Amino acid sequence: MGLIFDMDGVILDSEIRYFGVHKKMFHQLGIPLDLVQYATFMGKTGDEMWQELIEQHRLPHQTDVLLAQEHDLFQQHAKPEDCGLKEGVHELMSIARSEGYGIAIASSSSLEKIERVIAFYGLTVDAYTSGFEVPRSKPDPAIFELTAKRMGLAPKSCIVIEDAANGMMGAKKAGMEVIALLDDRMPGQMLHHADHQVSTHAAIGEILRKR
């Protein structure tokens, strides 16, 4: 069995900081903040979000320019080392190990960022995959299929923890069980793709123990 973690918003308490950066950028660009639309961006890569917004609002900007601005603001306000872990991450990973689960990360973030988080927070994982390693990131299932392959597991043997609907959809398309981790600070997600809905890592541990 394998337990696959999304990173931002599941391992790293970063989504709320990204949300703050994006609200500031939207305001500067004159883009109205539509929480329903913003929820659809979570789990995608930044270039996908900005390309959609440029086309929708006819912005006089190139995607790479907005990505660079976003990156600079993330470095100021959302460094991985400053975000901290979501409460209970280490404990959940320990429980998963004791229950016989392999552990992996499947994130739309870059490999460099995933490796920074693993190293800085002392996480022990068996595999990790970036959305930049597959032709299409979430909600496409490719990132989850590749992660399962790297763990030496069939997709049906994997459970995915996700906070974004795009990730939940991708995991279900890959044939995996999905646990939705909710955060009431963030825009609400469509949850009908999830097999379980929880608000804490401790609750996920209980799901694993009861199997």
Side-chain angles (χ1 to χ4, degrees), residues 2 13 17 28 30-31 33 40 50-51 73-74 97 103 106 123 125 137 141 145 152 159 188 196:
D13 194 17
R17 294 190 182 223
Q28 292 174 341
I31 300 172
L33 178 61
T40 70
W50 289 118
Q51 187 60 44
L73 289 170
F74 282 172
R97 290 284 184 203
I103 296 173
L123 304 177
V125 300
S137 191
E145 293 166 346
I159 301 172
H196 313 273

Side-chain angles (χ1 to χ4, degrees), residues 30 47 56 69 72 74-75 98 106 118 132 137 170 181 206 209:
D47 57 343
Q56 178 183 350
Q69 183 182 348
D72 290 344
F74 282 172
Q75 288 302 303
S98 69
I118 290 171
F132 291 93
S137 191
L181 181 63
E206 288 304 309
R209 285 194 180 105

Side-chain angles (χ1 to χ4, degrees), residues 76-203:
Q76 296 175 45
H77 305 291
K79 283 185 180 179
E81 295 82 359
D82 295 337
C83 291
L85 297 181
K86 298 281 282 190
E87 184 177 351
V89 169
H90 281 297
E91 292 83 354
L92 176 57
M93 288 187 173
S94 178
I95 290 168
R97 290 284 184 203
S98 69
E99 295 293 328
Y101 287 82
I103 296 173
I105 296 173
S107 170
S108 295
S109 292
S110 67
L111 278 174
E112 184 270 339
K113 182 179 175 184
I114 295 170
E115 290 166 353
R116 278 175 67 185
V117 170
I118 290 171
F120 185 80
Y121 291 102
L123 304 177
T124 303
V125 300
D126 302 299
Y128 54 89
T129 307
S130 163
F132 291 93
E133 295 184 272
V134 291
R136 293 172 300 279
S137 191
K138 306 169 187 179
D140 190 273
I143 188 172
F144 297 106
E145 293 166 346
L146 180 55
T147 304
K149 182 178 180 180
R150 287 175 172 174
M151 298 178 80
L153 295 171
K156 65 181 181 181
S157 297
C158 298
I159 301 172
V160 175
I161 309 170
E162 272 284 353
D163 67 320
N166 284 313
M168 298 174 208
M169 286 187 277
K172 290 306 292 184
K173 289 176 186 175
M176 299 178 179
E177 186 174 346
V178 175
I179 299 175
L181 181 63
L182 310 182
D183 187 336
D184 60 13
R185 300 173 299 171
M186 295 297 299
Q189 300 291 311
M190 294 185 298
L191 301 172
H192 59 278
H193 301 283
D195 299 289
H196 313 273
Q197 299 175 24
V198 300
S199 297
T200 66
H201 287 71

